[in-house]
Amino acid sequence: KKKKNRVPTSNISQTVKRLETELGVQLFRRGPNKISLSDEGRIFYNGARRALFALEEAVSGISETGRDASGEIKLLIRAHRRILASAIERFKNEYPKMQISINHDRDAAYSDYSFIISDGTEQREHYTKERLLTERVMLAVPKTHPLASRKKIEISELADEGFICMSHGSSLADLSIAICRAEGFNPRVVINAEDPYYVRKYVEMGLGIALVPEISWRGMFSESTAFLDIGDYKRVIYLYTQSDKVLSHAERAFADMIKEVFDKEKGSTDEIN
């Protein structure tokens, strides 16, 4: 049988035995006609595989920088599309050969994405998270609404109002429901919208009210909408990064750009509209 890497079988066997002696465990289960990884062997294999992958990534990361860098960055963007677009545009200008794949699907599984931007607080295996932004949640109402003249309102006053929310399962919809339930009622949702544009549009049309993030939706409403303070309700945005891989130079640069655009948004003192 042809040996794939042209290494004699006897040499491989001797190397494995030396490794098992050094580790003090059996890496393989050996039978008359079969050999398979032991539990310890599987653990060692997975760790060695990650280590080799990290080494390859490290070599790759220093071999190409700037406009010569190539490769792919996979993004799962579950919040703040507007702000992320600024970072993506800047990155593509500086790294034109890099390919960026983007998924906005809120139901997408966490898999091999380079970065995930989300307002979820769940812990994900093989990812570390870093806080990017904390923003207030505001109440958006049409200026024709009786509440529009108010500057601040208690959530409990909205029990009989019709709410416009993102579709079921979105993090913003979940947050809106949680805020209302914390005040003792379930929101009466009159419209579920797939697209944030239509949440804003239906509020402007006077079809209902909505709880909206102050910063990520800033400047996206018309002048026919008023915004009320509802107290100390916040939304936190996180950057999730794979923890078992070494970032390339381009990936590190992109992560820095993400943080910079969010810092710029945090530093802005503009009103939501």
Side-chain angles (χ1 to χ4, degrees), residues 32-33 35 56 76 82 97 140 145 150 162 177 185 189 197 214 223 225 236 241 243 255 259 270-271:
N33 299 307
I35 184 169
E56 291 175 358
L76 176 57
R82 175 182 64 84
K97 294 182 180 180
H145 195 285
R150 302 266 297 272
I177 293 171
F185 70 96
V189 179
Y197 168 82
E214 178 186 26
E223 294 183 356
T225 307
V236 183
T241 306
S243 57
K259 296 170 190 176
D270 294 340
E271 293 293 330

Side-chain angles (χ1 to χ4, degrees), residues 118-123 129 236 238 240:
S118 172
D119 58 356
T121 58
E122 66 274 18
Q123 298 293 329
K129 71 176 183 180
V236 183
Y238 296 96
Y240 289 79

Side-chain angles (χ1 to χ4, degrees), residues 192 250 253:
N192 284 118

